[in-house]
CSV table of all heavy atoms in Angstrom, one decimal:
chain,number,residue,atom,x,y,z
A,284,MET,N,52.4,-6.9,-56.9
A,284,MET,CA,51.9,-6.1,-58.0
A,284,MET,C,53.1,-5.8,-58.9
A,284,MET,O,54.1,-5.2,-58.5
A,284,MET,CB,51.3,-4.8,-57.5
A,284,MET,CG,50.7,-4.0,-58.6
A,284,MET,SD,49.8,-2.6,-57.9
A,284,MET,CE,50.6,-1.3,-58.7
A,285,LYS,N,53.1,-6.2,-60.1
A,285,LYS,CA,54.1,-6.0,-61.1
A,285,LYS,C,53.8,-4.7,-61.8
A,285,LYS,O,52.7,-4.4,-62.2
A,285,LYS,CB,54.3,-7.1,-62.1
A,285,LYS,CG,54.7,-8.4,-61.4
A,285,LYS,CD,56.1,-8.7,-61.7
A,285,LYS,CE,56.4,-10.0,-61.0
A,285,LYS,NZ,57.8,-10.2,-60.9
A,286,MET,N,54.8,-3.9,-62.1
A,286,MET,CA,54.6,-2.6,-62.8
A,286,MET,C,55.2,-2.8,-64.2
A,286,MET,O,56.4,-3.1,-64.4
A,286,MET,CB,55.3,-1.5,-62.1
A,286,MET,CG,55.1,-0.2,-62.7
A,286,MET,SD,55.9,1.1,-61.8
A,286,MET,CE,57.5,1.0,-62.3
A,287,ASN,N,54.4,-2.5,-65.2
A,287,ASN,CA,54.9,-2.5,-66.6
A,287,ASN,C,55.3,-1.1,-67.0
A,287,ASN,O,54.5,-0.2,-66.9
A,287,ASN,CB,53.8,-3.1,-67.6
A,287,ASN,CG,53.5,-4.5,-67.3
A,287,ASN,OD1,54.4,-5.3,-67.0
A,287,ASN,ND2,52.3,-4.9,-67.5
A,288,VAL,N,56.5,-1.0,-67.4
A,288,VAL,CA,57.0,0.3,-67.8
A,288,VAL,C,57.3,0.3,-69.3
A,288,VAL,O,58.0,-0.6,-69.8
A,288,VAL,CB,58.3,0.7,-67.1
A,288,VAL,CG1,58.8,2.0,-67.5
A,288,VAL,CG2,58.0,0.7,-65.6
A,289,CYS,N,56.7,1.1,-70.1
A,289,CYS,CA,56.9,1.2,-71.5
A,289,CYS,C,57.8,2.3,-71.9
A,289,CYS,O,57.5,3.5,-71.9
A,289,CYS,CB,55.5,1.4,-72.2
A,289,CYS,SG,54.4,0.1,-71.9
A,290,LEU,N,59.1,1.9,-72.1
A,290,LEU,CA,60.1,2.9,-72.5
A,290,LEU,C,60.8,2.3,-73.7
A,290,LEU,O,61.0,1.1,-73.8
A,290,LEU,CB,61.2,3.1,-71.4
A,290,LEU,CG,60.7,3.8,-70.1
A,290,LEU,CD1,61.9,3.7,-69.1
A,290,LEU,CD2,60.3,5.2,-70.4
A,291,SER,N,61.2,3.2,-74.6
A,291,SER,CA,61.9,2.7,-75.8
A,291,SER,C,63.3,2.3,-75.4
A,291,SER,O,63.8,2.8,-74.5
A,291,SER,CB,61.9,3.8,-76.9
A,291,SER,OG,62.8,4.9,-76.5
A,292,ALA,N,63.8,1.4,-76.2
A,292,ALA,CA,65.2,0.9,-75.9
A,292,ALA,C,66.2,2.0,-76.0
A,292,ALA,O,67.1,2.0,-75.2
A,292,ALA,CB,65.5,-0.2,-76.9
A,293,GLY,N,66.0,2.9,-76.8
A,293,GLY,CA,66.9,4.1,-77.0
A,293,GLY,C,67.0,4.9,-75.7
A,293,GLY,O,68.0,5.4,-75.3
A,294,VAL,N,65.8,5.2,-75.1
A,294,VAL,CA,65.8,6.0,-73.9
A,294,VAL,C,66.5,5.2,-72.7
A,294,VAL,O,67.2,5.8,-72.0
A,294,VAL,CB,64.3,6.3,-73.5
A,294,VAL,CG1,64.2,7.0,-72.1
A,294,VAL,CG2,63.7,7.2,-74.6
A,295,VAL,N,66.2,3.9,-72.6
A,295,VAL,CA,66.9,3.1,-71.6
A,295,VAL,C,68.4,3.1,-71.8
A,295,VAL,O,69.1,3.3,-70.8
A,295,VAL,CB,66.3,1.7,-71.6
A,295,VAL,CG1,67.0,0.8,-70.6
A,295,VAL,CG2,64.8,1.7,-71.2
A,296,VAL,N,68.8,2.9,-73.0
A,296,VAL,CA,70.3,2.8,-73.2
A,296,VAL,C,70.9,4.2,-72.9
A,296,VAL,O,72.0,4.3,-72.3
A,296,VAL,CB,70.6,2.3,-74.7
A,296,VAL,CG1,72.0,2.5,-75.0
A,296,VAL,CG2,70.1,0.9,-74.8
A,297,SER,N,70.3,5.2,-73.4
A,297,SER,CA,70.8,6.6,-73.1
A,297,SER,C,70.9,6.9,-71.6
A,297,SER,O,71.9,7.4,-71.2
A,297,SER,CB,69.9,7.7,-73.8
A,297,SER,OG,69.9,7.5,-75.2
A,298,ALA,N,69.9,6.5,-70.9
A,298,ALA,CA,69.9,6.7,-69.4
A,298,ALA,C,71.0,5.9,-68.8
A,298,ALA,O,71.7,6.4,-67.9
A,298,ALA,CB,68.6,6.3,-68.8
A,299,LEU,N,71.3,4.6,-69.3
A,299,LEU,CA,72.3,3.8,-68.7
A,299,LEU,C,73.7,4.4,-69.0
A,299,LEU,O,74.6,4.4,-68.2
A,299,LEU,CB,72.2,2.4,-69.2
A,299,LEU,CG,71.1,1.6,-68.6
A,299,LEU,CD1,71.0,0.2,-69.3
A,299,LEU,CD2,71.3,1.4,-67.1
A,300,VAL,N,73.9,4.9,-70.2
A,300,VAL,CA,75.1,5.5,-70.6
A,300,VAL,C,75.4,6.7,-69.8
A,300,VAL,O,76.5,6.9,-69.3
A,300,VAL,CB,75.2,5.8,-72.1
A,300,VAL,CG1,76.4,6.7,-72.4
A,300,VAL,CG2,75.2,4.6,-72.9
A,301,MET,N,74.4,7.5,-69.5
A,301,MET,CA,74.6,8.7,-68.7
A,301,MET,C,74.9,8.3,-67.2
A,301,MET,O,75.6,9.0,-66.6
A,301,MET,CB,73.3,9.6,-68.7
A,301,MET,CG,73.1,10.3,-70.1
A,301,MET,SD,71.8,11.5,-70.2
A,301,MET,CE,70.6,11.0,-69.0
A,302,THR,N,74.3,7.2,-66.8
A,302,THR,CA,74.5,6.8,-65.4
A,302,THR,C,75.8,6.1,-65.2
A,302,THR,O,76.5,6.4,-64.2
A,302,THR,CB,73.3,5.9,-64.9
A,302,THR,OG1,72.1,6.5,-65.1
A,302,THR,CG2,73.5,5.4,-63.5
A,303,PHE,N,76.1,5.2,-66.1
A,303,PHE,CA,77.3,4.3,-65.9
A,303,PHE,C,78.5,4.7,-66.7
A,303,PHE,O,79.6,4.3,-66.5
A,303,PHE,CB,77.0,2.9,-66.1
A,303,PHE,CG,76.0,2.3,-65.2
A,303,PHE,CD1,74.7,2.1,-65.6
A,303,PHE,CD2,76.4,2.0,-63.9
A,303,PHE,CE1,73.8,1.6,-64.7
A,303,PHE,CE2,75.4,1.5,-63.0
A,303,PHE,CZ,74.1,1.3,-63.4
A,304,GLY,N,78.3,5.5,-67.8
A,304,GLY,CA,79.3,5.9,-68.7
A,304,GLY,C,79.5,4.8,-69.7
A,304,GLY,O,78.9,3.7,-69.6
A,305,VAL,N,80.2,5.1,-70.8
A,305,VAL,CA,80.4,4.1,-71.9
A,305,VAL,C,81.1,2.9,-71.4
A,305,VAL,O,80.7,1.8,-71.8
A,305,VAL,CB,81.1,4.8,-73.1
A,305,VAL,CG1,81.4,3.8,-74.2
A,305,VAL,CG2,80.3,6.0,-73.6
A,306,ALA,N,82.0,3.0,-70.6
A,306,ALA,CA,82.8,1.8,-70.1
A,306,ALA,C,82.3,1.4,-68.7
A,306,ALA,O,83.0,0.8,-68.0
A,306,ALA,CB,84.3,2.1,-70.1
A,307,GLY,N,81.0,1.6,-68.5
A,307,GLY,CA,80.5,1.2,-67.1
A,307,GLY,C,80.3,-0.3,-66.9
A,307,GLY,O,80.7,-1.1,-67.8
A,308,ASN,N,79.7,-0.6,-65.8
A,308,ASN,CA,79.5,-2.0,-65.5
A,308,ASN,C,78.2,-2.6,-65.8
A,308,ASN,O,77.8,-3.7,-65.4
A,308,ASN,CB,79.8,-2.2,-64.0
A,308,ASN,CG,78.9,-1.4,-63.1
A,308,ASN,OD1,78.0,-0.8,-63.6
A,308,ASN,ND2,79.2,-1.4,-61.8
A,309,ALA,N,77.4,-1.9,-66.6
A,309,ALA,CA,76.1,-2.4,-67.0
A,309,ALA,C,76.1,-2.6,-68.5
A,309,ALA,O,76.6,-1.8,-69.3
A,309,ALA,CB,75.0,-1.4,-66.7
A,310,SER,N,75.5,-3.7,-69.0
A,310,SER,CA,75.4,-3.9,-70.4
A,310,SER,C,74.0,-4.6,-70.7
A,310,SER,O,73.3,-5.1,-69.8
A,310,SER,CB,76.5,-4.9,-70.9
A,310,SER,OG,76.3,-6.1,-70.3
A,311,ALA,N,73.6,-4.5,-71.9
A,311,ALA,CA,72.2,-5.0,-72.3
A,311,ALA,C,72.0,-6.4,-72.0
A,311,ALA,O,70.9,-6.9,-71.7
A,311,ALA,CB,72.0,-4.7,-73.7
A,312,GLY,N,73.1,-7.3,-72.0
A,312,GLY,CA,73.0,-8.7,-71.8
A,312,GLY,C,73.3,-9.1,-70.4
A,312,GLY,O,73.6,-10.2,-70.1
A,313,ALA,N,73.4,-8.1,-69.5
A,313,ALA,CA,73.9,-8.4,-68.1
A,313,ALA,C,72.8,-8.9,-67.1
A,313,ALA,O,73.1,-9.0,-66.0
A,313,ALA,CB,74.6,-7.2,-67.6
A,314,GLY,N,71.6,-9.1,-67.6
A,314,GLY,CA,70.6,-9.6,-66.7
A,314,GLY,C,69.8,-8.4,-66.1
A,314,GLY,O,70.0,-7.3,-66.5
A,315,THR,N,68.9,-8.7,-65.1
A,315,THR,CA,68.1,-7.6,-64.6
A,315,THR,C,68.0,-7.7,-63.1
A,315,THR,O,68.0,-8.8,-62.5
A,315,THR,CB,66.6,-7.8,-65.1
A,315,THR,OG1,66.7,-7.7,-66.5
A,315,THR,CG2,65.7,-6.7,-64.6
A,316,THR,N,68.1,-6.6,-62.4
A,316,THR,CA,67.9,-6.5,-60.9
A,316,THR,C,66.5,-6.0,-60.7
A,316,THR,O,66.1,-5.0,-61.2
A,316,THR,CB,68.9,-5.5,-60.3
A,316,THR,OG1,70.3,-6.0,-60.6
A,316,THR,CG2,68.7,-5.4,-58.8
A,317,PHE,N,65.8,-6.7,-59.8
A,317,PHE,CA,64.4,-6.4,-59.4
A,317,PHE,C,64.5,-5.9,-58.0
A,317,PHE,O,65.0,-6.5,-57.1
A,317,PHE,CB,63.5,-7.6,-59.5
A,317,PHE,CG,63.3,-8.1,-60.9
A,317,PHE,CD1,64.2,-9.0,-61.4
A,317,PHE,CD2,62.3,-7.7,-61.7
A,317,PHE,CE1,64.1,-9.5,-62.7
A,317,PHE,CE2,62.2,-8.1,-63.0
A,317,PHE,CZ,63.0,-9.1,-63.5
A,318,CYS,N,63.9,-4.7,-57.8
A,318,CYS,CA,63.9,-4.1,-56.5
A,318,CYS,C,62.4,-3.9,-56.1
A,318,CYS,O,61.7,-3.1,-56.7
A,318,CYS,CB,64.6,-2.7,-56.5
A,318,CYS,SG,66.3,-2.8,-57.1
A,319,GLY,N,62.0,-4.5,-55.0
A,319,GLY,CA,60.6,-4.3,-54.5
A,319,GLY,C,60.5,-3.4,-53.3
A,319,GLY,O,61.3,-3.5,-52.4
A,320,TYR,N,59.5,-2.5,-53.4
A,320,TYR,CA,59.3,-1.5,-52.3
A,320,TYR,C,57.9,-1.6,-51.8
A,320,TYR,O,57.0,-2.0,-52.5
A,320,TYR,CB,59.6,-0.1,-52.9
A,320,TYR,CG,61.0,0.1,-53.4
A,320,TYR,CD1,61.4,-0.2,-54.7
A,320,TYR,CD2,62.0,0.5,-52.5
A,320,TYR,CE1,62.7,0.0,-55.1
A,320,TYR,CE2,63.3,0.7,-52.9
A,320,TYR,CZ,63.6,0.4,-54.2
A,320,TYR,OH,64.9,0.5,-54.6
A,321,GLN,N,57.8,-1.2,-50.5
A,321,GLN,CA,56.5,-1.2,-49.9
A,321,GLN,C,56.4,0.1,-49.0
A,321,GLN,O,57.4,0.4,-48.3
A,321,GLN,CB,56.3,-2.4,-49.0
A,321,GLN,CG,54.9,-2.5,-48.3
A,321,GLN,CD,54.8,-3.8,-47.6
A,321,GLN,OE1,55.7,-4.5,-47.3
A,321,GLN,NE2,53.6,-4.2,-47.4
A,322,GLU,N,55.2,0.8,-49.1
A,322,GLU,CA,55.1,2.0,-48.2
A,322,GLU,C,54.9,1.5,-46.8
A,322,GLU,O,54.7,0.4,-46.5
A,322,GLU,CB,53.9,2.8,-48.7
A,322,GLU,CG,52.5,2.2,-48.2
A,322,GLU,CD,51.4,3.2,-48.4
A,322,GLU,OE1,51.4,4.3,-47.8
A,322,GLU,OE2,50.5,2.9,-49.2
A,323,VAL,N,55.1,2.5,-45.9
A,323,VAL,CA,55.2,2.2,-44.5
A,323,VAL,C,53.9,1.5,-44.0
A,323,VAL,O,53.9,0.6,-43.3
A,323,VAL,CB,55.4,3.5,-43.6
A,323,VAL,CG1,55.3,3.2,-42.2
A,323,VAL,CG2,56.8,4.1,-44.0
A,324,GLY,N,52.7,2.0,-44.5
A,324,GLY,CA,51.5,1.4,-44.1
A,324,GLY,C,51.2,0.1,-44.7
A,324,GLY,O,50.3,-0.7,-44.3
A,325,GLY,N,51.9,-0.3,-45.8
A,325,GLY,CA,51.8,-1.6,-46.5
A,325,GLY,C,50.7,-1.6,-47.5
A,325,GLY,O,50.5,-2.6,-48.1
A,326,ALA,N,50.0,-0.4,-47.8
A,326,ALA,CA,48.9,-0.4,-48.8
A,326,ALA,C,49.5,-0.5,-50.2
A,326,ALA,O,48.8,-1.1,-51.0
A,326,ALA,CB,48.1,0.8,-48.6
A,327,GLN,N,50.6,0.1,-50.5
A,327,GLN,CA,51.2,0.1,-51.8
A,327,GLN,C,52.5,-0.7,-51.9
A,327,GLN,O,53.3,-0.6,-51.0
A,327,GLN,CB,51.4,1.5,-52.3
A,327,GLN,CG,50.1,2.3,-52.6
A,327,GLN,CD,50.5,3.6,-53.3
A,327,GLN,OE1,51.5,3.7,-53.9
A,327,GLN,NE2,49.6,4.6,-53.1
A,328,VAL,N,52.6,-1.5,-52.9
A,328,VAL,CA,53.8,-2.3,-53.2
A,328,VAL,C,54.1,-2.1,-54.7
A,328,VAL,O,53.3,-2.1,-55.5
A,328,VAL,CB,53.6,-3.8,-52.9
A,328,VAL,CG1,54.9,-4.6,-53.2
A,328,VAL,CG2,53.2,-4.0,-51.5
A,329,TRP,N,55.4,-1.8,-55.0
A,329,TRP,CA,55.8,-1.6,-56.4
A,329,TRP,C,57.2,-2.2,-56.6
A,329,TRP,O,57.9,-2.5,-55.6
A,329,TRP,CB,55.7,-0.2,-56.8
A,329,TRP,CG,56.6,0.8,-56.1
A,329,TRP,CD1,57.8,1.2,-56.5
A,329,TRP,CD2,56.3,1.5,-54.9
A,329,TRP,NE1,58.4,2.1,-55.6
A,329,TRP,CE2,57.5,2.3,-54.6
A,329,TRP,CE3,55.3,1.5,-54.0
A,329,TRP,CZ2,57.5,3.1,-53.5
A,329,TRP,CZ3,55.3,2.4,-52.9
A,329,TRP,CH2,56.4,3.1,-52.7
A,330,GLU,N,57.6,-2.3,-57.8
A,330,GLU,CA,58.8,-2.9,-58.2
A,330,GLU,C,59.5,-2.0,-59.2
A,330,GLU,O,58.9,-1.4,-60.1
A,330,GLU,CB,58.6,-4.2,-58.9
A,330,GLU,CG,59.8,-5.0,-59.2
A,330,GLU,CD,59.5,-6.4,-59.7
A,330,GLU,OE1,59.2,-6.5,-60.9
A,330,GLU,OE2,59.4,-7.3,-58.9
A,331,ARG,N,60.8,-1.9,-59.1
A,331,ARG,CA,61.7,-1.2,-60.0
A,331,ARG,C,62.6,-2.2,-60.7
A,331,ARG,O,63.0,-3.1,-60.0
A,331,ARG,CB,62.5,-0.1,-59.4
A,331,ARG,CG,61.7,1.0,-58.7
A,331,ARG,CD,61.3,2.0,-59.8
A,331,ARG,NE,60.7,3.1,-59.0
A,331,ARG,CZ,59.6,3.8,-59.5
A,331,ARG,NH1,59.0,3.4,-60.6
A,331,ARG,NH2,59.1,4.7,-58.8
A,332,ARG,N,62.9,-2.0,-61.9
A,332,ARG,CA,63.8,-2.9,-62.6
A,332,ARG,C,65.0,-2.2,-63.2
A,332,ARG,O,64.8,-1.1,-63.7
A,332,ARG,CB,63.1,-3.6,-63.8
A,332,ARG,CG,61.9,-4.4,-63.4
A,332,ARG,CD,61.1,-5.0,-64.5
A,332,ARG,NE,59.9,-5.6,-64.1
A,332,ARG,CZ,59.1,-6.2,-64.8
A,332,ARG,NH1,59.3,-6.3,-66.1
A,332,ARG,NH2,58.0,-6.8,-64.3
A,333,TYR,N,66.2,-2.7,-63.0
A,333,TYR,CA,67.4,-2.1,-63.5
A,333,TYR,C,68.2,-3.1,-64.3
A,333,TYR,O,68.2,-4.3,-64.0
A,333,TYR,CB,68.3,-1.6,-62.4
A,333,TYR,CG,67.6,-0.6,-61.5
A,333,TYR,CD1,67.0,-1.0,-60.3
A,333,TYR,CD2,67.5,0.7,-61.8
A,333,TYR,CE1,66.4,-0.1,-59.4
A,333,TYR,CE2,66.9,1.7,-61.0
A,333,TYR,CZ,66.3,1.2,-59.8
A,333,TYR,OH,65.7,2.2,-59.0
A,334,VAL,N,68.8,-2.7,-65.4
A,334,VAL,CA,69.6,-3.5,-66.2
A,334,VAL,C,70.9,-3.8,-65.5
A,334,VAL,O,71.5,-2.8,-64.9
A,334,VAL,CB,69.9,-2.9,-67.6
A,334,VAL,CG1,70.9,-3.7,-68.4
A,334,VAL,CG2,68.6,-2.7,-68.4
A,335,GLY,N,71.3,-5.0,-65.4
A,335,GLY,CA,72.6,-5.4,-64.8
A,335,GLY,C,72.4,-5.8,-63.3
A,335,GLY,O,71.3,-5.7,-62.8
A,336,ASN,N,73.5,-6.2,-62.7
A,336,ASN,CA,73.5,-6.6,-61.3
A,336,ASN,C,73.9,-5.4,-60.5
A,336,ASN,O,75.1,-5.0,-60.6
A,336,ASN,CB,74.5,-7.8,-61.1
A,336,ASN,CG,74.4,-8.3,-59.7
A,336,ASN,OD1,73.5,-8.0,-58.9
A,336,ASN,ND2,75.2,-9.3,-59.4
A,337,ARG,N,73.0,-4.8,-59.8
A,337,ARG,CA,73.3,-3.6,-59.0
A,337,ARG,C,72.6,-3.6,-57.7
A,337,ARG,O,71.7,-4.4,-57.5
A,337,ARG,CB,73.0,-2.3,-59.8
A,337,ARG,CG,71.5,-2.2,-60.2
A,337,ARG,CD,71.2,-1.0,-60.9
A,337,ARG,NE,71.2,0.1,-59.9
A,337,ARG,CZ,70.8,1.3,-60.2
A,337,ARG,NH1,70.4,1.7,-61.4
A,337,ARG,NH2,70.8,2.3,-59.3
A,338,GLN,N,73.1,-2.7,-56.8
A,338,GLN,CA,72.5,-2.6,-55.5
A,338,GLN,C,71.2,-1.7,-55.6
A,338,GLN,O,71.2,-0.7,-56.3
A,338,GLN,CB,73.4,-2.0,-54.5
A,338,GLN,CG,72.9,-1.9,-53.1
A,338,GLN,CD,74.0,-1.4,-52.2
A,338,GLN,OE1,75.1,-1.2,-52.5
A,338,GLN,NE2,73.6,-1.3,-50.9
A,339,CYS,N,70.1,-2.2,-55.0
A,339,CYS,CA,68.9,-1.4,-55.0
A,339,CYS,C,69.0,-0.3,-54.0
A,339,CYS,O,69.5,-0.4,-52.9
A,339,CYS,CB,67.7,-2.3,-54.6
A,339,CYS,SG,67.4,-3.6,-55.7
A,340,PRO,N,68.4,0.9,-54.3
A,340,PRO,CA,68.3,2.0,-53.3
A,340,PRO,C,67.5,1.6,-52.1
A,340,PRO,O,66.5,0.8,-52.3
A,340,PRO,CB,67.7,3.1,-54.1
A,340,PRO,CG,67.9,2.8,-55.5
A,340,PRO,CD,67.9,1.3,-55.6
A,341,ALA,N,67.8,2.0,-50.9
A,341,ALA,CA,67.1,1.6,-49.7
A,341,ALA,C,65.7,2.2,-49.7
A,341,ALA,O,64.8,1.6,-49.0
A,341,ALA,CB,67.9,2.1,-48.5
A,342,SER,N,65.4,3.2,-50.4
A,342,SER,CA,64.0,3.8,-50.5
A,342,SER,C,63.7,4.3,-51.9
A,342,SER,O,64.6,4.5,-52.7
A,342,SER,CB,63.9,4.9,-49.5
A,342,SER,OG,64.7,6.0,-49.8
A,343,ASP,N,62.4,4.4,-52.2
A,343,ASP,CA,62.0,4.9,-53.5
A,343,ASP,C,60.7,5.6,-53.3
A,343,ASP,O,60.0,5.4,-52.3
A,343,ASP,CB,61.8,3.6,-54.4
A,343,ASP,CG,61.5,4.0,-55.8
A,343,ASP,OD1,62.4,4.7,-56.5
A,343,ASP,OD2,60.4,3.7,-56.4
A,344,VAL,N,60.4,6.5,-54.3
A,344,VAL,CA,59.1,7.2,-54.3
A,344,VAL,C,58.3,6.9,-55.5
A,344,VAL,O,58.9,7.0,-56.6
A,344,VAL,CB,59.4,8.7,-54.1
A,344,VAL,CG1,58.1,9.5,-54.2
A,344,VAL,CG2,60.1,9.0,-52.9
A,345,LYS,N,57.1,6.6,-55.4
A,345,LYS,CA,56.2,6.4,-56.5
A,345,LYS,C,54.9,7.1,-56.2
A,345,LYS,O,54.2,6.9,-55.2
A,345,LYS,CB,55.9,4.9,-56.7
A,345,LYS,CG,55.0,4.6,-57.9
A,345,LYS,CD,54.7,3.2,-58.1
A,345,LYS,CE,53.7,3.0,-59.2
A,345,LYS,NZ,53.2,1.6,-59.2
A,346,ASN,N,54.5,8.0,-57.2
A,346,ASN,CA,53.2,8.8,-57.0
A,346,ASN,C,53.2,9.5,-55.7
A,346,ASN,O,52.1,9.6,-55.1
A,346,ASN,CB,52.0,7.9,-57.2
A,346,ASN,CG,51.9,7.2,-58.6
A,346,ASN,OD1,52.4,7.8,-59.5
A,346,ASN,ND2,51.4,6.0,-58.6
A,347,GLY,N,54.3,10.0,-55.3
A,347,GLY,CA,54.3,10.8,-54.0
A,347,GLY,C,54.4,10.0,-52.8
A,347,GLY,O,54.3,10.5,-51.7
A,348,VAL,N,54.4,8.7,-52.9
A,348,VAL,CA,54.4,7.8,-51.7
A,348,VAL,C,55.8,7.2,-51.6
A,348,VAL,O,56.4,6.6,-52.5
A,348,VAL,CB,53.4,6.7,-51.8
A,348,VAL,CG1,53.5,5.7,-50.7
A,348,VAL,CG2,52.0,7.2,-52.0
A,349,GLU,N,56.4,7.4,-50.4
A,349,GLU,CA,57.7,6.8,-50.1
A,349,GLU,C,57.6,5.4,-49.6
A,349,GLU,O,56.8,5.1,-48.8
A,349,GLU,CB,58.5,7.7,-49.1
A,349,GLU,CG,59.9,7.2,-48.9
A,349,GLU,CD,60.8,8.1,-48.1
A,349,GLU,OE1,60.2,9.1,-47.6
A,349,GLU,OE2,61.9,7.8,-47.9
A,350,GLY,N,58.5,4.5,-50.1
A,350,GLY,CA,58.5,3.1,-49.7
A,350,GLY,C,59.9,2.7,-49.4
A,350,GLY,O,60.9,3.3,-49.8
A,351,THR,N,60.0,1.6,-48.6
A,351,THR,CA,61.3,1.1,-48.3
A,351,THR,C,61.6,-0.2,-49.0
A,351,THR,O,60.6,-0.9,-49.3
A,351,THR,CB,61.5,0.9,-46.8
A,351,THR,OG1,60.4,0.1,-46.3
A,351,THR,CG2,61.5,2.2,-46.0
A,352,LEU,N,62.8,-0.6,-49.2
A,352,LEU,CA,63.2,-1.8,-49.9
A,352,LEU,C,62.8,-3.0,-49.1
A,352,LEU,O,63.1,-3.1,-47.9
A,352,LEU,CB,64.7,-1.8,-50.2
A,352,LEU,CG,65.2,-3.0,-50.9
A,352,LEU,CD1,64.7,-3.0,-52.4
A,352,LEU,CD2,66.7,-3.0,-50.9
A,353,VAL,N,62.0,-3.9,-49.7
A,353,VAL,CA,61.6,-5.2,-49.0
A,353,VAL,C,62.2,-6.4,-49.6
A,353,VAL,O,62.3,-7.4,-49.0
A,353,VAL,CB,60.1,-5.3,-48.9
A,353,VAL,CG1,59.5,-4.3,-47.9
A,353,VAL,CG2,59.4,-5.2,-50.2
A,354,TYR,N,62.6,-6.3,-50.9
A,354,TYR,CA,63.4,-7.4,-51.5
A,354,TYR,C,64.1,-6.9,-52.7
A,354,TYR,O,63.8,-5.9,-53.3
A,354,TYR,CB,62.4,-8.6,-51.9
A,354,TYR,CG,61.6,-8.3,-53.2
A,354,TYR,CD1,62.0,-8.6,-54.4
A,354,TYR,CD2,60.3,-7.7,-53.0
A,354,TYR,CE1,61.3,-8.3,-55.6
A,354,TYR,CE2,59.5,-7.5,-54.1
A,354,TYR,CZ,60.0,-7.7,-55.4
A,354,TYR,OH,59.3,-7.5,-56.5
A,355,SER,N,65.2,-7.7,-53.1
A,355,SER,CA,65.9,-7.4,-54.3
A,355,SER,C,66.3,-8.8,-54.8
A,355,SER,O,66.6,-9.7,-54.1
A,355,SER,CB,67.1,-6.6,-54.0
A,355,SER,OG,68.1,-7.2,-53.2
A,356,GLU,N,66.3,-8.9,-56.2
A,356,GLU,CA,66.7,-10.2,-56.8
A,356,GLU,C,67.3,-9.9,-58.1
A,356,GLU,O,66.9,-9.0,-58.9
A,356,GLU,CB,65.4,-11.0,-57.1
A,356,GLU,CG,65.6,-12.3,-57.7
A,356,GLU,CD,64.3,-13.1,-58.0
A,356,GLU,OE1,63.3,-12.5,-57.7
A,356,GLU,OE2,64.5,-14.2,-58.4
A,357,TYR,N,68.4,-10.6,-58.4
A,357,TYR,CA,69.1,-10.4,-59.7
A,357,TYR,C,68.8,-11.7,-60.5
A,357,TYR,O,69.0,-12.8,-60.0
A,357,TYR,CB,70.6,-10.2,-59.5
A,357,TYR,CG,71.4,-10.3,-60.8
A,357,TYR,CD1,71.3,-9.3,-61.7
A,357,TYR,CD2,72.2,-11.4,-61.1
A,357,TYR,CE1,72.0,-9.3,-62.9
A,357,TYR,CE2,72.9,-11.4,-62.3
A,357,TYR,CZ,72.8,-10.4,-63.2
A,357,TYR,OH,73.5,-10.4,-64.3
A,358,ILE,N,68.4,-11.5,-61.7
A,358,ILE,CA,68.2,-12.7,-62.7
A,358,ILE,C,69.1,-12.4,-63.9
A,358,ILE,O,68.9,-11.5,-64.6
A,358,ILE,CB,66.7,-12.8,-63.0
A,358,ILE,CG1,65.9,-13.0,-61.8
A,358,ILE,CG2,66.5,-13.9,-64.1
A,358,ILE,CD1,64.4,-13.1,-62.0
A,359,ALA,N,70.0,-13.4,-64.1
A,359,ALA,CA,70.9,-13.3,-65.2
A,359,ALA,C,70.2,-13.6,-66.5
A,359,ALA,O,69.3,-14.3,-66.6
A,359,ALA,CB,72.1,-14.2,-65.0
């Protein structure tokens, strides 16, 4: 199941600058890291996308449900 997130480019860039700093290792043209998560029971599966090549967190929470990392992929 793919999740479409509608965020303005300014919000995304601001969040990246706060996370990585101005001279950080993420840039707009650096590709995308896809992190797939699945809840323990397997009923819910979701994906997070991050700009740049980065390590996915081992767990994530969506709508109050905790899931563990089942795949990660970087696409330049």
Side-chain angles (χ1 to χ4, degrees):
M284 178 173 128
K285 298 256 181 191
M286 182 177 81
N287 294 325
V288 178
C289 298
L290 293 175
S291 69
V294 172
V295 172
V296 171
S297 296
L299 287 172
V300 168
M301 289 187 331
T302 302
F303 296 105
V305 175
N308 59 6
S310 66
T315 304
T316 300
F317 296 87
C318 305
Y320 296 91
Q321 183 174 21
E322 79 169 295
V323 175
Q327 289 188 25
V328 177
W329 64 91
E330 184 175 87
R331 298 279 187 220
R332 298 175 187 181
Y333 300 99
V334 173
N336 188 5
R337 61 177 283 187
Q338 184 174 357
C339 297
S342 64
D343 187 60
V344 177
K345 179 181 177 192
N346 298 331
V348 176
E349 185 173 359
T351 56
L352 183 68
V353 291
Y354 74 88
S355 65
E356 180 180 9
Y357 172 71
I358 299 177

